[in-house]
PDB file of all heavy atoms in Angstrom:
ATOM      1  N   ALA A 157       7.340 -24.617  52.114  1.00 94.00           N
ATOM      2  CA  ALA A 157       5.960 -24.545  52.681  1.00 94.00           C
ATOM      3  C   ALA A 157       5.781 -23.524  53.720  1.00 94.00           C
ATOM      4  O   ALA A 157       4.629 -23.156  54.054  1.00 94.00           O
ATOM      5  CB  ALA A 157       5.579 -25.947  53.152  1.00 94.00           C
ATOM      6  N   ASP A 158       6.847 -22.911  54.257  1.00 96.00           N
ATOM      7  CA  ASP A 158       6.682 -21.888  55.316  1.00 96.00           C
ATOM      8  C   ASP A 158       6.566 -20.502  54.679  1.00 96.00           C
ATOM      9  O   ASP A 158       6.460 -19.530  55.386  1.00 96.00           O
ATOM     10  CB  ASP A 158       7.939 -21.925  56.289  1.00 96.00           C
ATOM     11  CG  ASP A 158       9.246 -21.837  55.621  1.00 96.00           C
ATOM     12  OD1 ASP A 158       9.312 -22.018  54.390  1.00 96.00           O
ATOM     13  OD2 ASP A 158      10.223 -21.404  56.329  1.00 96.00           O
ATOM     14  N   VAL A 159       6.608 -20.413  53.311  1.00 98.00           N
ATOM     15  CA  VAL A 159       6.360 -19.134  52.655  1.00 98.00           C
ATOM     16  C   VAL A 159       4.977 -19.190  51.927  1.00 98.00           C
ATOM     17  O   VAL A 159       4.815 -20.084  51.116  1.00 98.00           O
ATOM     18  CB  VAL A 159       7.463 -18.845  51.624  1.00 98.00           C
ATOM     19  CG1 VAL A 159       7.131 -17.541  50.910  1.00 98.00           C
ATOM     20  CG2 VAL A 159       8.883 -18.820  52.301  1.00 98.00           C
ATOM     21  N   ASN A 160       4.148 -18.307  52.295  1.00 98.00           N
ATOM     22  CA  ASN A 160       2.799 -18.242  51.652  1.00 98.00           C
ATOM     23  C   ASN A 160       2.834 -17.394  50.377  1.00 98.00           C
ATOM     24  O   ASN A 160       3.567 -16.401  50.336  1.00 98.00           O
ATOM     25  CB  ASN A 160       1.785 -17.626  52.639  1.00 98.00           C
ATOM     26  CG  ASN A 160       1.491 -18.586  53.783  1.00 98.00           C
ATOM     27  OD1 ASN A 160       1.428 -19.790  53.609  1.00 98.00           O
ATOM     28  ND2 ASN A 160       1.454 -18.025  54.957  1.00 98.00           N
ATOM     29  N   VAL A 161       2.031 -17.790  49.411  1.00 98.00           N
ATOM     30  CA  VAL A 161       1.998 -17.029  48.154  1.00 98.00           C
ATOM     31  C   VAL A 161       0.740 -16.082  48.172  1.00 98.00           C
ATOM     32  O   VAL A 161      -0.311 -16.551  48.515  1.00 98.00           O
ATOM     33  CB  VAL A 161       1.840 -17.919  46.861  1.00 98.00           C
ATOM     34  CG1 VAL A 161       1.874 -17.144  45.602  1.00 98.00           C
ATOM     35  CG2 VAL A 161       2.956 -19.043  46.903  1.00 98.00           C
ATOM     36  N   ARG A 162       0.964 -14.921  47.808  1.00 98.00           N
ATOM     37  CA  ARG A 162      -0.168 -13.987  47.547  1.00 98.00           C
ATOM     38  C   ARG A 162      -0.204 -13.591  46.085  1.00 98.00           C
ATOM     39  O   ARG A 162       0.669 -12.955  45.637  1.00 98.00           O
ATOM     40  CB  ARG A 162      -0.214 -12.750  48.379  1.00 98.00           C
ATOM     41  CG  ARG A 162      -0.395 -13.096  49.853  1.00 98.00           C
ATOM     42  CD  ARG A 162      -1.184 -12.085  50.574  1.00 98.00           C
ATOM     43  NE  ARG A 162      -1.382 -12.498  52.005  1.00 98.00           N
ATOM     44  CZ  ARG A 162      -0.813 -12.011  52.933  1.00 98.00           C
ATOM     45  NH1 ARG A 162      -0.131 -10.811  52.850  1.00 98.00           N
ATOM     46  NH2 ARG A 162      -0.907 -12.471  54.177  1.00 98.00           N
ATOM     47  N   VAL A 163      -1.285 -14.006  45.388  1.00 98.00           N
ATOM     48  CA  VAL A 163      -1.395 -13.692  43.931  1.00 98.00           C
ATOM     49  C   VAL A 163      -2.330 -12.464  43.898  1.00 98.00           C
ATOM     50  O   VAL A 163      -3.497 -12.493  44.438  1.00 98.00           O
ATOM     51  CB  VAL A 163      -1.993 -14.857  43.166  1.00 98.00           C
ATOM     52  CG1 VAL A 163      -2.082 -14.381  41.619  1.00 98.00           C
ATOM     53  CG2 VAL A 163      -1.082 -16.053  43.240  1.00 98.00           C
ATOM     54  N   HIS A 164      -1.953 -11.433  43.237  1.00 98.00           N
ATOM     55  CA  HIS A 164      -2.790 -10.221  43.126  1.00 98.00           C
ATOM     56  C   HIS A 164      -3.307 -10.058  41.670  1.00 98.00           C
ATOM     57  O   HIS A 164      -2.495  -9.914  40.814  1.00 98.00           O
ATOM     58  CB  HIS A 164      -2.025  -8.969  43.527  1.00 98.00           C
ATOM     59  CG  HIS A 164      -1.391  -9.120  44.872  1.00 98.00           C
ATOM     60  ND1 HIS A 164      -2.079  -8.856  46.044  1.00 98.00           N
ATOM     61  CD2 HIS A 164      -0.189  -9.481  45.324  1.00 98.00           C
ATOM     62  CE1 HIS A 164      -1.341  -9.048  47.107  1.00 98.00           C
ATOM     63  NE2 HIS A 164      -0.168  -9.499  46.779  1.00 98.00           N
ATOM     64  N   ASP A 165      -4.569 -10.226  41.597  1.00 97.00           N
ATOM     65  CA  ASP A 165      -5.241 -10.086  40.248  1.00 97.00           C
ATOM     66  C   ASP A 165      -5.648  -8.716  39.979  1.00 97.00           C
ATOM     67  O   ASP A 165      -6.602  -8.135  40.683  1.00 97.00           O
ATOM     68  CB  ASP A 165      -6.394 -11.106  40.110  1.00 97.00           C
ATOM     69  CG  ASP A 165      -6.840 -11.216  38.659  1.00 97.00           C
ATOM     70  OD1 ASP A 165      -6.363 -10.455  37.808  1.00 97.00           O
ATOM     71  OD2 ASP A 165      -7.721 -12.130  38.382  1.00 97.00           O
ATOM     72  N   SER A 166      -5.028  -8.026  39.079  1.00 96.00           N
ATOM     73  CA  SER A 166      -5.163  -6.579  38.822  1.00 96.00           C
ATOM     74  C   SER A 166      -6.358  -6.442  37.832  1.00 96.00           C
ATOM     75  O   SER A 166      -6.189  -6.280  36.688  1.00 96.00           O
ATOM     76  CB  SER A 166      -3.884  -6.038  38.152  1.00 96.00           C
ATOM     77  OG  SER A 166      -4.047  -4.696  37.928  1.00 96.00           O
ATOM     78  N   THR A 167      -7.596  -6.577  38.396  1.00 93.00           N
ATOM     79  CA  THR A 167      -8.733  -6.629  37.463  1.00 93.00           C
ATOM     80  C   THR A 167      -9.451  -5.321  37.154  1.00 93.00           C
ATOM     81  O   THR A 167     -10.291  -5.225  36.272  1.00 93.00           O
ATOM     82  CB  THR A 167      -9.842  -7.626  38.063  1.00 93.00           C
ATOM     83  OG1 THR A 167      -9.956  -7.277  39.445  1.00 93.00           O
ATOM     84  CG2 THR A 167      -9.435  -9.017  37.869  1.00 93.00           C
ATOM     85  N   ALA A 168      -9.152  -4.281  37.957  1.00 91.00           N
ATOM     86  CA  ALA A 168      -9.895  -3.097  37.704  1.00 91.00           C
ATOM     87  C   ALA A 168      -9.049  -1.809  37.705  1.00 91.00           C
ATOM     88  O   ALA A 168      -8.266  -1.592  36.820  1.00 91.00           O
ATOM     89  CB  ALA A 168     -11.013  -2.942  38.823  1.00 91.00           C
ATOM     90  N   GLU A 169      -9.109  -0.954  38.748  1.00 93.00           N
ATOM     91  CA  GLU A 169      -8.467   0.412  38.741  1.00 93.00           C
ATOM     92  C   GLU A 169      -7.298   0.468  39.621  1.00 93.00           C
ATOM     93  O   GLU A 169      -6.830   1.612  39.868  1.00 93.00           O
ATOM     94  CB  GLU A 169      -9.570   1.402  39.104  1.00 93.00           C
ATOM     95  CG  GLU A 169     -10.784   1.405  38.236  1.00 93.00           C
ATOM     96  CD  GLU A 169     -10.482   1.763  36.767  1.00 93.00           C
ATOM     97  OE1 GLU A 169      -9.704   2.611  36.549  1.00 93.00           O
ATOM     98  OE2 GLU A 169     -11.131   1.085  35.881  1.00 93.00           O
TER      99      GLU A 169
END
Side-chain angles (χ1 to χ4, degrees):
Chain A
D158 57 341
V159 179
N160 293 318
V161 184
R162 290 220 180 112
V163 179
H164 303 279
D165 193 352
S166 180
T167 44
E169 302 298 320

